[in-house]
Amino acid sequence: MIRKIIIIMAVAVMIGPAASSAPWSLDSCINHAIKHNIIVRTRNIESTSAELDVVEAKDRFLPQLDAGVSQTFNFGRGLTSDNTYADRNTSQLGWSVNLSLPIFQGLSAKRRLDYAKANMRSVLENAEAAKDDVTLRVIAQYLQVLYCAELHGVALEQVRMSKVELDRREILLEAGKIPELDLTQARSQLAQDELTAVTTLNDRQLALVELAQLLQLDDVNGFDIMPLSDTQTILPDAQTVYENALRNNHAIKASMLSIAAADKNISLAKSGYLPRLSFNVGLGSSYYNISGIDNDSFHRQMRDNFNKSLGFTLSIPIFDAFTTRNSERKARLQLVNARLQYEDTRSALFKAIQQAYYQAVAAQSKRRAGDVAVKAAKDALDAMQEKYNYGRANATEFEQAKTSYIKAVSEAVQAKYETLLRMRILEFYNGVN
């Protein structure tokens, strides 16, 4: 029964997905994840908002024009033109148009524009840094799926070897050359190997589901990936990778630009100490209607009451309840925080590169040793097979040799994908596509 389940699941994995959709490449997975990742989409919205902040800062250089109309009614006693009080109802209609042109705003408009541009550049780099994070996560999970798939292949090979051995022992038992205990052990070993194959297949499926979820896929049915070429590349120097990352890494660039933006924000806060000068132009007229007396016509009053005005307004800050001082202090604290974040980002980048480098060195050494171990274990298994065939070794010794061979193969596969992962990380930080 277990053997049938393995066959059905293997067919579903290897044939079913290919029939419903083509396997995804690593690049297609990365591109799809970047396009649909929620964090990346959020960063893109923040980038659009930062661009609008720049537009808003530019608009502060423009004049302000407004128009207004007012209508008021008064009822009851009121002061008349002959300085007496009488019961009269009055109404007044007025309109005005005012233009205010900023001439000097204490450099706040220019400094706000400089800050908005610096902040926009920082936000854009943060958006790219989010894409980098998603890329690294997709690479790691993609390789995890391939690793689980290769382990499943090793488990299937183990099942095949155990099945061959079981068939051989059935023949030997019928010929009376081995005890029945050897056949029982072979059946037990086959059952264990089939269980391992089921487990590794489930591990691959779970890893594939996690990758599909990382890609924000609504339906994982038919989703599968393409294998990667196992090309041996030269391990780059960790210091060289770090120096290249300092120039090209988006998280580092975003931190550096955050420092520049914080410095611009200090200048913006200090603009509150400077005076402001504006030019103002106004037009207006009004119509009065007083009950009990003769009033001029609406048209005549609008013409006679028409007025024009122009002037300059100078505002000199003397004491603003320490508002500007407190804003400057907060801006300086933001600058200190931006510098600390930059140091933390550099430290995290250095640690990530150093860790990936030494893990790659260890994985390469383990892989070379693993290849030697696989060959040695295979030779030992072949020798033990020969001895067992001639009765110079028992079934337990043969199973131990087979287990050692499978373990060596599994460890070699682990070292292979550990090397691939660390090399991909180093190439990514080094700027190699």
Side-chain angles (χ1 to χ4, degrees):
M1 178 61 68
I2 295 179
R3 198 174 310 159
K4 293 180 180 179
I5 294 175
I6 292 176
I7 295 174
I8 293 173
M9 295 182 71
V11 170
V13 171
M14 299 177 183
I15 299 178
S20 57
S21 62
W24 291 49
S25 66
L26 178 58
D27 289 339
S28 61
C29 287
I30 292 174
N31 293 334
H32 190 278
I34 289 176
K35 182 178 179 181
H36 295 85
N37 183 266
I38 294 177
I39 296 178
V40 172
R41 292 162 65 184
T42 301
R43 294 290 184 271
N44 290 335
I45 293 175
E46 293 174 355
S47 300
T48 303
S49 178
E51 292 173 355
L52 292 177
D53 290 340
V54 174
V55 175
E56 181 182 0
K58 291 180 179 179
D59 292 341
R60 288 179 176 268
F61 292 96
L62 301 176
Q64 293 185 357
L65 177 66
D66 60 83
V69 178
S70 65
Q71 173 70 61
T72 59
F73 299 93
N74 294 312
F75 305 96
R77 295 178 64 82
L79 188 65
T80 64
S81 59
D82 56 0
N83 204 27
T84 61
Y85 286 90
D87 289 331
R88 289 178 177 175
N89 298 331
T90 63
S91 65
Q92 178 181 356
L93 173 65
W95 65 268
S96 64
V97 177
N98 299 287
L99 173 68
S100 178
L101 175 64
I103 298 176
F104 181 74
Q105 300 174 301
L107 300 177
S108 63
K110 179 182 181 303
R111 292 175 177 178
R112 187 178 299 277
L113 178 59
D114 292 340
Y115 169 72
K117 288 180 177 179
N119 183 67
M120 180 189 67
R121 289 191 289 267
S122 175
V123 173
L124 290 175
E125 288 298 334
N126 267 322
E128 294 300 320
K131 295 178 183 179
D132 290 347
D133 292 339
V134 172
T135 299
L136 287 174
R137 291 172 58 192
V138 170
I139 290 175
Q141 191 59 37
Y142 194 99
L143 290 174
Q144 180 66 23
V145 175
L146 295 179
Y147 168 64
C148 292
E150 195 152 339
L151 281 185
H152 178 60
V154 173
L156 291 179
E157 175 63 15
Q158 188 174 5
V159 170
R160 186 195 65 79
M161 293 172 60
S162 296
K163 180 63 173 61
V164 171
E165 181 61 23
L166 177 61
D167 294 340
R168 194 181 69 86
R169 292 188 187 184
E170 287 177 347
I171 296 174
L172 292 176
L173 180 63
E174 290 179 0
K177 295 183 178 181
I178 61 171
E180 188 174 354
L181 178 61
D182 288 0
L183 182 62
T184 303
Q185 289 179 346
R187 288 173 177 169
S188 175
Q189 185 62 45
L190 177 60
Q192 294 178 16
D193 296 341
E194 289 175 339
L195 180 60
T196 300
V198 172
T199 301
T200 54
L201 182 61
N202 289 336
D203 291 341
R204 181 189 183 277
Q205 287 294 94
L206 291 175
L208 201 61
V209 169
E210 290 183 15
L211 178 60
Q213 292 174 347
L214 189 59
L215 269 57
Q216 301 292 330
L217 295 180
D218 296 329
D219 187 8
V220 299
N221 292 328
F223 174 67
D224 203 357
I225 62 175
M226 299 170 58
L228 293 176
S229 61
D230 184 19
T231 304
Q232 298 288 340
T233 57
I234 300 175
L235 181 65
D237 178 66
Q239 185 62 31
T240 302
V241 173
Y242 178 63
E243 292 174 356
N244 291 334
L246 288 179
R247 292 190 297 268
N248 304 317
N249 185 260
H250 293 293
I252 292 293
K253 289 182 179 180
S255 297
M256 294 176 64
L257 291 172
S258 294
I259 295 176
D263 189 59
K264 298 292 185 182
N265 193 32
I266 294 176
S267 298
L268 174 61
K270 292 170 68 175
S271 63
Y273 293 117
L274 301 177
R276 286 166 169 76
L277 178 64
S278 62
F279 173 68
N280 306 290
V281 176
L283 300 174
S285 186
S286 61
Y287 167 75
Y288 296 90
N289 186 4
I290 304 175
S291 63
I293 65 172
D294 293 333
N295 298 277
D296 291 336
S297 66
F298 178 84
H299 176 73
R300 180 166 183 168
Q301 287 196 41
M302 282 292 177
R303 182 190 64 192
D304 294 342
N305 295 336
F306 181 74
N307 63 85
K308 296 172 285 187
S309 66
L310 59 86
F312 294 89
T313 301
L314 177 64
S315 175
I316 302 175
I318 298 176
F319 181 71
D320 61 354
F322 301 114
T323 300
T324 301
R325 186 199 67 175
N326 294 334
S327 297
E328 181 185 357
R329 289 180 176 179
K330 290 182 179 179
R332 292 189 182 278
L333 289 177
Q334 291 176 0
L335 177 60
V336 173
N337 185 56
R339 288 172 175 168
L340 290 175
Q341 289 183 350
Y342 172 68
E343 292 299 326
D344 183 65
T345 304
R346 282 191 57 170
S347 177
L349 178 65
F350 179 78
K351 291 178 181 177
I353 292 175
Q354 286 285 319
Q355 185 179 29
Y357 174 78
Y358 287 109
Q359 287 177 334
V361 171
Q364 283 186 336
S365 299
K366 186 177 179 181
R367 186 176 184 180
R368 288 191 293 268
D371 292 340
V372 175
V374 169
K375 185 177 184 306
K378 184 64 171 63
D379 293 340
L381 178 61
D382 293 340
M384 185 60 67
Q385 177 79 58
E386 189 71 17
K387 291 176 63 178
Y388 182 70
N389 290 340
Y390 287 98
R392 294 196 297 270
N394 55 39
T396 302
E397 292 173 331
F398 174 77
E399 292 298 337
Q400 288 177 349
K402 189 177 71 171
T403 301
S404 297
Y405 169 69
I406 295 298
K407 180 180 179 182
V409 173
S410 299
E411 291 178 350
V413 170
Q414 181 182 11
K416 169 187 172 182
Y417 281 97
E418 180 71 17
T419 303
L420 287 175
L421 175 60
R422 303 309 166 188
M423 288 295 296
R424 287 272 179 170
I425 292 176
L426 289 173
E427 290 173 355
F428 181 83
Y429 284 125
N430 201 31
V432 179
N433 294 327

